[in-house]
């Protein structure tokens, strides 16, 4: 249990540092008024009219960072996926029935997330599309393999013929 907790703590610390740096890098959006129209989906979602840089939602900083400075937002996603992977692996080792559903759900969410960046026009958006779609497929494949393994073990018991 300690080795899983330590890995999750390291993943959380990595996520926090990457989040802070990505937020800082994305704050450059305040000074780039040309991008206000294209990189502020959360501000538009809250129906806020941008008249100055301070009107921009802080969540839009991450969108801008993904588009133009993708290293730390990518590190954020990878650290979250690592935390979820360790959690799923712990569920498998503890023989929990939740592991299959957990990995399948995470895979489904990642595939949905990748659809948001499907037609990305920037390099960062393309990187995010590939990371989320491949990781989603890997999580779904893991869930399918776990369910097949469980089905195989279930069907190979001594009461199969009786």
């Amino acid at each position: 249990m300690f080795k899983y907790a330590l890995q999750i703590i390291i993943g959380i610390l990595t996520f926090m540092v990457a989040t802070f740096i990505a937020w800082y890098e994305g704050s450059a959006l305040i000074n780039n008024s040309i991008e206000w129209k294209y990189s502020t989906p959360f501000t538009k979602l809250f129906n806020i009219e941008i008249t100055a840089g301070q009107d921009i939602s802080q969540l839009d900083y991450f969108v801008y960072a993904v588009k133009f400075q993708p290293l730390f937002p990518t590190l954020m996603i990878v650290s979250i996926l690592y935390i979820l992977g360790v959690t799923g692996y712990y569920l498998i080792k503890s023989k929990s029935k939740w592991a299959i559903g957990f990995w399948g759900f995470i895979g489904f969410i990642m595939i949905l997330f990748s659809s948001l960046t499907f037609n990305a026009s920037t390099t960062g958006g393309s990187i995010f599309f590939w990371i989320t779609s491949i990781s989603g497929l890997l999580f779904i494949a893991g869930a399918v393999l776990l369910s097949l393994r469980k089905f195989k073990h279930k069907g190979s018991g001594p009461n199969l013929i009786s």
Side-chain angles (χ1 to χ4, degrees):
M1 176 65 182
F2 176 73
K3 63 181 176 181
Y4 299 115
L6 182 63
Q7 290 181 50
I8 289 175
I9 289 170
I10 291 170
I12 290 171
L13 290 175
T14 304
F15 175 76
M16 289 172 49
V17 169
T19 300
F20 179 75
I21 295 172
W23 174 71
Y24 175 76
E25 287 179 339
S27 68
L29 176 62
I30 291 173
N31 300 325
N32 191 352
S33 59
I34 296 170
E35 277 297 316
W36 290 357
K37 182 177 179 181
Y38 307 107
S39 298
T40 55
F42 291 103
T43 303
K44 291 174 187 172
L45 182 68
F46 300 134
N47 291 326
I48 298 172
E49 183 179 340
I50 302 172
T51 56
Q54 290 75 18
D55 298 333
I56 297 171
S57 169
Q58 304 244 338
L59 294 173
D60 289 327
Y61 293 176
F62 294 106
V63 174
Y64 185 79
V66 165
K67 289 173 77 174
F68 299 107
Q69 304 274 337
L71 176 65
F72 289 102
T74 301
L75 191 56
M76 287 172 58
I77 291 291
V78 169
S79 62
I80 286 292
L81 291 173
Y82 183 76
I83 292 167
L84 294 172
V86 168
T87 304
Y89 189 73
Y90 176 73
L91 289 174
I92 293 168
K93 288 298 179 185
S94 65
K95 300 186 189 310
S96 174
K97 296 177 184 178
W98 290 87
I100 296 168
F102 177 77
W103 279 21
F105 179 72
I106 297 302
F108 179 72
I109 294 297
M110 294 311 293
I111 295 293
L112 283 177
F113 193 62
S114 72
S115 69
L116 296 175
T117 57
F118 178 66
N119 286 329
S121 59
T122 62
T123 304
S126 297
I127 290 169
F128 254 65
F129 168 74
W130 287 108
I131 286 175
T132 53
S133 59
I134 290 171
S135 62
L137 291 173
L138 287 174
F139 272 99
I140 289 172
V144 168
L145 290 174
L146 281 173
S147 63
L148 289 175
R149 189 173 118 195
K150 186 173 183 160
F151 178 73
K152 181 180 174 185
H153 286 294
K154 192 181 234 183
S156 63
N159 295 333
L160 186 63
I161 299 177
S162 59

